[in-house]
């Protein structure tokens, strides 16, 4: 086999595999978007979370806060959200509670931050 043909083959195989994978993902998202129903918790492509309160043709009404409803294109819904799923940070570590307790606040008592003459230290 010609070395040029071998290199070309080695470059085309990953492209074909990526294309097949992308096609499967697009089909899965399209199926999820077509199955949206009232009460489903979703996240839009822009990161807005909410609960589906209405579905009309190509539009979906999402309640983002109590009494606050917005209309979105069905294609803008990126995924369903499992309400029982724990919050996961970027390092895939489960975060139990993201609230900061008063005991966790660290006071910085650096005297240079608040000198008596009213000047501030440079940043």
């Amino acid at each position: 086999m010609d070395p040029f043909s071998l290199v070309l083959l080695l470059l085309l195989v990953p492209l074909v595999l990526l294309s097949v994978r992308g096609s499967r993902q697009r089909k899965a998202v399209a199926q999820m978007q077509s199955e949206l129903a009232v009460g489903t918790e979703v996240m839009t492509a822009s990161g807005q979370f909410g609960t589906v309160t209405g579905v009309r043709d190509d539009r979906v009404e999402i309640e983002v806060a109590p009494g606050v409803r917005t209309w979105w294109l069905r294609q803008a819904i990126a995924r369903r959200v499992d309400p029982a799923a724990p919050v996961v940070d970027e390092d895939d570590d489960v975060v139990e509670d993201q609230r900061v307790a008063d005991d966790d606040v660290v006071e910085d008592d650096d005297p240079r931050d608040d000198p008596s003459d009213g000047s501030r230290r440079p940043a």
Side-chain angles (χ1 to χ4, degrees):
M1 182 176 245
D2 179 14
F4 177 74
S5 299
L6 183 62
V7 169
L8 186 61
L9 183 65
L10 288 174
L11 291 174
L12 287 178
V13 168
L15 290 175
V16 170
L17 293 175
L18 287 173
S19 174
V20 169
R21 182 177 179 208
S23 176
R24 286 183 190 157
Q25 287 177 339
R26 281 189 299 278
K27 286 179 185 176
V29 169
Q31 180 178 356
M32 179 273 304
Q33 290 170 345
S34 69
E35 295 173 350
L36 288 174
V38 173
T40 305
E41 291 193 33
V42 296
M43 183 187 80
T44 66
S46 62
Q48 178 70 55
F49 288 89
T51 303
V52 175
T53 56
V55 178
R56 262 196 238 156
D57 298 325
D58 65 340
R59 296 185 303 160
V60 177
E61 184 181 42
I62 300 175
E63 186 172 38
V64 296
V68 180
R69 295 178 177 186
T70 58
W71 283 97
W72 295 78
L73 283 174
R74 189 181 293 257
Q75 291 82 5
I77 307 302
R79 65 183 177 100
R80 281 187 222 151
V81 177
D82 180 11
V87 176
V88 179
D89 69 1
E90 294 169 354
D91 299 326
D92 293 333
D93 296 328
V94 175
V95 177
E96 294 299 325
D97 192 353
Q98 293 186 350
R99 289 178 288 168
V100 178
D102 290 337
D103 298 339
D104 296 339
V105 176
V106 177
E107 295 291 330
D108 185 13
D109 294 329
D110 189 346
R112 294 178 294 169
D113 285 340
D114 191 23
S116 60
D117 66 355
S119 63
R120 307 234 1 122
R121 80 172 172 189

